Amino acid sequence: PTVSLDVDSDDAVSEDGSEFMAKSIYIVSDGTGWTAEHSVTAALGQFDYCLVDRGCPVSTHLFSGVDDVERLLEIIKQAVKENALLVYTLADSSLSSAAEKACKLWGVPSTNVLGPITEAIASHLGASPSGLPRGASRVPLSDDYFRRIEAIEFTIKQDDGASPQNLAKADIVLTGVSRTGKTPLSIYLAQKGYKVANVPIVMGLDMPKTLSQVDPKKVFGLTINQSVLQEIRRTRAKTMGLSSQSRTNYSEMDYIREELEFAGKLFAQNPVWPVIDVTAKAIEETAAVVLRLFHDRKHKCTMSRISKRY
Amino acid sequence: PTVSLDVDSDDAVSEDGSEFMAKSIYIVSDGTGWTAEHSVTAALGQFDYCLVDRGCPVSTHLFSGVDDVERLLEIIKQAVKENALLVYTLADSSLSSAAEKACKLWGVPSTNVLGPITEAIASHLGASPSGLPRGASRVPLSDDYFRRIEAIEFTIKQDDGASPQNLAKADIVLTGVSRTGKTPLSIYLAQKGYKVANVPIVMGLDMPKTLSQVDPKKVFGLTINQSVLQEIRRTRAKTMGLSSQSRTNYSEMDYIREELEFAGKLFAQNPVWPVIDVTAKAIEETAAVVLRLFHDRKHKCTMSRISKRY
Ligand SMILES: Nc1ncnc2c1ncn2[C@@H]1O[C@H](COP(=O)(O)O)[C@@H](O)[C@H]1O
Ligand SMILES: Nc1ncnc2c1ncn2[C@@H]1O[C@H](COP(=O)(O)O)[C@@H](O)[C@H]1O
Ligand SMILES: [Mg+2]
Ligand SMILES: [Mg+2]
């Protein structure tokens, strides 16, 4: 469903009355709130069928950095007024039990998102959770921190076929025609620490020579359904304000079909490159496929997995 | 702690024996696995004190797109062999109860990450979860999809002070001296749908004129502790292979102090800009602060919150 930012906090009393029924979900964290928000978003996926067209509108309200009991209780009191569901992550056990008690007392439905997983990890490791929220212990700058930043900066510099002489330095090279989502996919993977280069396929233009020198196991082709691509390109041409001349060419069906065929031939010439159909896939879904294949190729595991060491 | 990708899956038998004790966490999803991975990473934050220096090493193994019971059971059998903890998100209730039963039967400790939150939302909305995994219902391209992609593309184009004529089109403008994390922060915010421009502050150089024409409520200054900045710049100079001449200047303490003072004066001249100290903050932590201030300014709520409509 369409997500919109910047909902007015008092939308429950908005003018046309249609928003009167919006159910509130309060998200509270002593950290950033991104973990709880991610979980709420995924769980809301189970209600897509009734969220579509705002059939059962939901509004989420994220409260981050909540690290004292006064502020916590103030928020829960507000949740009572708005009939909200409270979803929280609180590292300090005195805070999380205060939340639990207050919710019980005041009748606010609530879920402690990380409680069960933290307990499970504690008994798995045979160690107790520190109870310290994110930011309490100032961890020195890690290798991981520098690696991610380097990956992001590399990926930005390599966007859209720039600096082909650096292709060999990439962990992953993405290729596909315009609007197959190379840029957002590259950035998503970069945030996860991979150096990504993306190289556009344009009908009639040669691919950079350096691409043929890159280990083909790093290269991934992206393809997409013709009519969906046309829809995306039309939207693109409108927002870019392309002249109607170039717009027609760019988003015309014959041209798109030929360009996808041109890409298909290139992919056929490079049978080692996996070709991923991005039609109707969200960026993070395509990223999951790319990384699964990438790690399989590196490790030749019997069972497809992505492993990390903490 | 330092996270490393590409752990060998059979690291339990690695040579020096130090990794023999690495405890495995299996992450299983019928979707991408990113939600469960995010939750595991946050929960592991509670064990930082024993993860540091690999005192109690943990390795995570992510299995995504697990949507049939055969593959699920195969993974759980492997978890038995590796003494792993199983953390899962499975939308289909027959799959999630299969996981629960198999884990009980074979003695695998396990947590269903989204089960409780999905039930809480179901009773809050008075609607049943669809049981359909991500990707099962092909949602048409939403406005949200296009908005995010536009934000990412805008943000890349505006990186590092490029195209100052477009500053007015940004939702958020970040400014600070080199290595205050403007680029990764911009990209993080762009992924959340905000168009971000970042403008470097360089001692002795004028800021672009267009910056003074931008609504000052959109602008955020970044600052950082001197010695931490020096450490970051030294690492940077090394990986960039700067000549030792320019390296010295760039990462020399006197120069850094003067540059931070220069930035401080600029911030003092623009008292509306909030100045955020990024020292020892992770990118997502700074992002949380920026967005909290950004939404407060827009809505002048009594209670600091970020609201969204689904
Ligand atoms: N590195 C960390 N150290 C300690 N606690 C953390 C860490 N990262 C996240 N948390 C905790 O995990 C929960 C979710 O974090 P967040 O996603 O920032 O809201 C909060 O209770 C945080 O305090
Ligand atoms: N848009 C969605 N529609 C239905 N289920 C979803 C959606 N997004 C995530 N999920 C489910 O939420 C869980 C976590 O998703 P993921 O982060 O992709 O692993 C999985 O069980 C997914 O199937
Ligand atoms: Mg692109
Ligand atoms: Mg930068």
Side-chain angles (χ1 to χ4, degrees), chain A residues 2-9 11 19 22-24 26 32 34-35 37-44 46-47 49-50 54 57-65 71 74-75 78 82-85 87 91 111 114 116-118 120-122 124-125 127-132 134-135 138 141-142 144 146-147 149 152-153 156 179 183-184 187-188 191-192 194 228 232 235-236 280 284-285 288 291-292 295 298-299 301 303-310, chain B residues 2-9 11 19 22-24 26 32 34-35 37-44 46-50 54 57-65 71 74-75 78 82-85 87 91 111 114 116-118 120-122 124-125 127-132 134-135 138 141-142 144 146-147 149 152-153 156 179 183-184 187-188 191-192 194 228 232 235-236 280 284-285 288 291-292 295 298-299 301 303-310:
Chain A
T2 297
V3 179
S4 46
L5 287 167
D6 306 326
V7 175
D8 242 314
S9 65
D11 56 20
E19 293 168 11
K23 305 261 181 162
S24 287
Y26 270 38
T32 63
W34 306 138
T35 308
E37 186 187 55
H38 194 156
S39 297
V40 167
T41 307
L44 283 175
Q46 292 302 304
F47 304 91
Y49 71 93
C50 69
R54 313 265 188 258
V58 167
S59 56
T60 61
H61 303 276
L62 177 64
F63 301 85
S64 60
R71 197 155 159 245
E74 203 189 323
I75 293 166
Q78 189 60 30
E82 290 190 34
N83 280 316
L85 167 67
V87 173
T111 307
L114 295 180
I117 192 174
T118 305
I121 292 176
H124 189 53
L125 302 186
S128 304
S130 67
L132 298 174
R134 178 205 268 283
R138 299 290 34 171
L141 294 165
S142 65
D144 186 48
F146 287 111
R147 190 172 53 82
I149 290 183
I152 291 168
E153 292 180 340
I156 289 177
R179 296 295 103 188
T183 297
I187 291 293
Y188 192 91
Q191 299 256 41
K192 294 202 171 273
Y194 302 85
V228 173
I232 297 177
T235 310
R236 162 86 165 176
E284 66 271 24
E285 289 169 357
L291 291 183
R292 193 158 57 201
H295 284 265
K298 273 202 143 173
H299 296 292
C301 283
M303 233 183 269
S304 193
R305 60 166 84 177
I306 300 173
S307 300
K308 278 190 201 175
R309 167 65 52 93
Y310 288 81
Chain B
T2 298
V3 179
S4 47
L5 287 166
D6 306 328
V7 176
D8 243 314
S9 66
D11 56 20
E19 292 168 13
K23 305 260 182 164
S24 288
Y26 271 38
T32 63
W34 307 137
T35 308
E37 185 187 55
H38 194 157
S39 297
V40 167
T41 306
L44 283 175
Q46 292 302 305
F47 303 92
D48 264 354
Y49 70 92
C50 67
R54 313 266 187 259
V58 167
S59 57
T60 60
H61 303 277
L62 176 64
F63 301 85
S64 61
R71 199 159 155 243
E74 203 189 324
I75 292 166
Q78 188 61 32
E82 292 190 31
N83 280 316
L85 165 68
V87 173
T111 307
L114 295 179
I117 192 173
T118 306
I121 293 177
H124 189 55
L125 302 185
S128 302
S130 68
L132 297 175
R134 176 205 267 287
R138 297 292 35 169
L141 294 165
S142 64
D144 185 48
F146 287 110
R147 190 171 52 81
I149 290 182
I152 292 168
E153 292 180 340
I156 289 178
R179 297 293 102 188
T183 298
I187 291 293
Y188 192 92
Q191 298 258 39
K192 295 204 170 273
Y194 301 86
V228 173
I232 297 176
T235 311
R236 163 83 164 176
E284 66 271 25
E285 290 169 357
L291 292 182
R292 193 157 59 200
H295 285 265
K298 273 204 142 169
H299 295 292
C301 283
M303 231 182 271
S304 192
R305 59 166 88 178
I306 301 172
S307 299
K308 277 191 203 177
R309 169 63 52 93
Y310 288 81

Side-chain angles (χ1 to χ4, degrees), chain B:
Chain B
T2 298
V3 179
S4 47
L5 287 166
D6 306 328
V7 176
D8 243 314
S9 66
D10 46 5
D11 56 20
V13 288
S14 97
E15 291 163 35
D16 68 347
S18 70
E19 292 168 13
F20 190 77
M21 305 291 289
K23 305 260 182 164
S24 288
I25 300 179
Y26 271 38
I27 300 171
V28 171
S29 174
D30 52 12
T32 63
W34 307 137
T35 308
E37 185 187 55
H38 194 157
S39 297
V40 167
T41 306
L44 283 175
Q46 292 302 305
F47 303 92
D48 264 354
Y49 70 92
C50 67
L51 292 168
V52 165
D53 303 325
R54 313 266 187 259
C56 64
V58 167
S59 57
T60 60
H61 303 277
L62 176 64
F63 301 85
S64 61
V66 178
D67 55 6
D68 65 89
V69 75
E70 288 73 30
R71 199 159 155 243
L72 176 63
L73 294 181
E74 203 189 324
I75 292 166
I76 300 178
K77 277 179 200 160
Q78 188 61 32
V80 176
K81 286 189 205 155
E82 292 190 31
N83 280 316
L85 165 68
L86 187 81
V87 173
Y88 62 94
T89 59
L90 294 162
D92 183 312
S93 60
S94 70
L95 271 192
S96 65
S97 49
E100 202 183 327
K101 272 179 212 152
C103 285
K104 205 171 249 176
L105 192 64
W106 299 332
V108 175
S110 70
T111 307
N112 178 349
V113 182
L114 295 179
I117 192 173
T118 306
E119 275 175 40
I121 293 177
S123 66
H124 189 55
L125 302 185
S128 302
S130 68
L132 297 175
R134 176 205 267 287
S137 56
R138 297 292 35 169
V139 186
L141 294 165
S142 64
D143 292 351
D144 185 48
Y145 175 86
F146 287 110
R147 190 171 52 81
R148 273 167 209 251
I149 290 182
E150 207 190 324
I152 292 168
E153 292 180 340
F154 177 90
T155 301
I156 289 178
K157 284 199 201 103
Q158 296 302 126
D159 187 41
D160 206 27
S163 315
Q165 71 279 10
N166 290 332
L167 281 184
K169 292 183 193 154
D171 297 316
I172 292 172
V173 177
L174 304 174
T175 186
V177 304
S178 173
R179 297 293 102 188
T180 45
K182 296 182 299 299
T183 298
L185 177 58
S186 298
I187 291 293
Y188 192 92
L189 295 169
Q191 298 258 39
K192 295 204 170 273
Y194 301 86
K195 289 188 200 167
V196 184
N198 71 73
V199 182
I201 299 176
V202 182
M203 191 161 51
L205 288 189
D206 286 338
M207 298 301 283
K209 286 211 188 72
T210 45
L211 183 60
S212 55
Q213 291 148 21
V214 166
D215 179 355
K217 288 191 180 158
K218 288 181 182 181
V219 185
F220 294 81
L222 303 180
T223 190
I224 187 170
N225 170 280
Q226 270 179 51
S227 351
V228 173
L229 182 56
Q230 186 177 37
E231 190 195 329
I232 297 176
R233 286 195 177 178
R234 279 191 182 146
T235 311
R236 163 83 164 176
K238 254 184 269 165
T239 55
M240 295 258 297
L242 292 184
S243 72
S244 63
Q245 177 57 52
S246 50
R247 191 193 312 194
T248 318
N249 213 357
Y250 180 74
S251 57
E252 204 190 86
M253 202 44 135
D254 283 346
Y255 183 83
I256 287 179
R257 188 179 33 71
E258 282 174 44
E259 199 166 56
L260 286 173
E261 278 168 14
F262 181 81
K265 275 179 207 149
L266 180 71
F267 296 155
Q269 284 159 22
N270 294 277
V272 178
W273 303 353
V275 178
I276 302 172
D277 186 346
V278 303
T279 309
K281 277 198 187 73
I283 301 301
E284 66 271 25
E285 290 169 357
T286 309
V289 176
V290 169
L291 292 182
R292 193 157 59 200
L293 293 169
F294 179 79
H295 285 265
D296 284 355
R297 288 166 151 225
K298 273 204 142 169
H299 295 292
K300 303 183 193 74
C301 283
T302 43
M303 231 182 271
S304 192
R305 59 166 88 178
I306 301 172
S307 299
K308 277 191 203 177
R309 169 63 52 93
Y310 288 81

Side-chain angles (χ1 to χ4, degrees), chain A:
Chain A
T2 297
V3 179
S4 46
L5 287 167
D6 306 326
V7 175
D8 242 314
S9 65
D10 47 2
D11 56 20
V13 288
S14 95
E15 291 163 35
D16 68 348
S18 68
E19 293 168 11
F20 190 78
M21 305 290 289
K23 305 261 181 162
S24 287
I25 300 179
Y26 270 38
I27 300 170
V28 171
S29 173
D30 52 12
T32 63
W34 306 138
T35 308
E37 186 187 55
H38 194 156
S39 297
V40 167
T41 307
L44 283 175
Q46 292 302 304
F47 304 91
D48 264 354
Y49 71 93
C50 69
L51 293 168
V52 164
D53 303 326
R54 313 265 188 258
C56 63
V58 167
S59 56
T60 61
H61 303 276
L62 177 64
F63 301 85
S64 60
V66 179
D67 55 6
D68 64 273
V69 74
E70 289 72 31
R71 197 155 159 245
L72 175 64
L73 294 181
E74 203 189 323
I75 293 166
I76 300 178
K77 278 179 200 157
Q78 189 60 30
V80 175
K81 287 190 204 153
E82 290 190 34
N83 280 316
L85 167 67
L86 187 81
V87 173
Y88 62 93
T89 59
L90 294 163
D92 183 311
S93 60
S94 70
L95 272 192
S96 66
S97 49
E100 203 184 326
K101 273 180 211 150
C103 285
K104 205 171 248 175
L105 193 64
W106 298 332
V108 175
S110 70
T111 307
N112 178 348
V113 182
L114 295 180
I117 192 174
T118 305
E119 275 174 39
I121 292 176
S123 66
H124 189 53
L125 302 186
S128 304
S130 67
L132 298 174
R134 178 205 268 283
S137 55
R138 299 290 34 171
V139 186
L141 294 165
S142 65
D143 292 352
D144 186 48
Y145 175 85
F146 287 111
R147 190 172 53 82
R148 273 167 209 249
I149 290 183
E150 207 190 323
I152 291 168
E153 292 180 340
F154 177 91
T155 301
I156 289 177
K157 286 199 200 103
Q158 296 303 126
D159 187 41
D160 207 26
S163 317
Q165 71 278 11
N166 291 332
L167 281 184
K169 293 184 192 153
D171 297 317
I172 293 172
V173 177
L174 304 174
T175 186
V177 304
S178 173
R179 296 295 103 188
T180 43
K182 297 182 297 299
T183 297
L185 178 57
S186 299
I187 291 293
Y188 192 91
L189 295 169
Q191 299 256 41
K192 294 202 171 273
Y194 302 85
K195 290 188 199 166
V196 185
N198 71 73
V199 183
I201 299 175
V202 183
M203 190 158 56
L205 287 190
D206 286 336
M207 297 302 282
K209 286 210 188 75
T210 45
L211 182 60
S212 54
Q213 292 146 19
V214 165
D215 179 355
K217 287 191 179 158
K218 289 182 185 181
V219 186
F220 294 80
L222 303 180
T223 190
I224 186 170
N225 170 281
Q226 269 179 53
S227 352
V228 173
L229 181 57
Q230 185 176 39
E231 191 195 328
I232 297 177
R233 287 194 175 178
R234 278 191 181 145
T235 310
R236 162 86 165 176
K238 253 185 269 165
T239 54
M240 296 258 296
L242 291 184
S243 73
S244 64
Q245 177 58 50
S246 51
R247 191 193 313 197
T248 320
N249 213 355
Y250 180 76
S251 56
E252 204 190 86
M253 203 44 136
D254 284 346
Y255 182 83
I256 287 179
R257 189 177 35 70
E258 283 174 45
E259 199 166 54
L260 286 173
E261 279 168 14
F262 180 81
K265 275 180 207 149
L266 180 71
F267 296 155
Q269 285 158 21
N270 295 277
V272 179
W273 302 354
V275 177
I276 302 171
D277 187 344
V278 303
T279 309
K281 277 198 187 75
I283 300 300
E284 66 271 24
E285 289 169 357
T286 309
V289 176
V290 168
L291 291 183
R292 193 158 57 201
L293 293 168
F294 179 77
H295 284 265
D296 284 355
R297 287 167 150 224
K298 273 202 143 173
H299 296 292
K300 304 185 192 74
C301 283
T302 43
M303 233 183 269
S304 193
R305 60 166 84 177
I306 300 173
S307 300
K308 278 190 201 175
R309 167 65 52 93
Y310 288 81

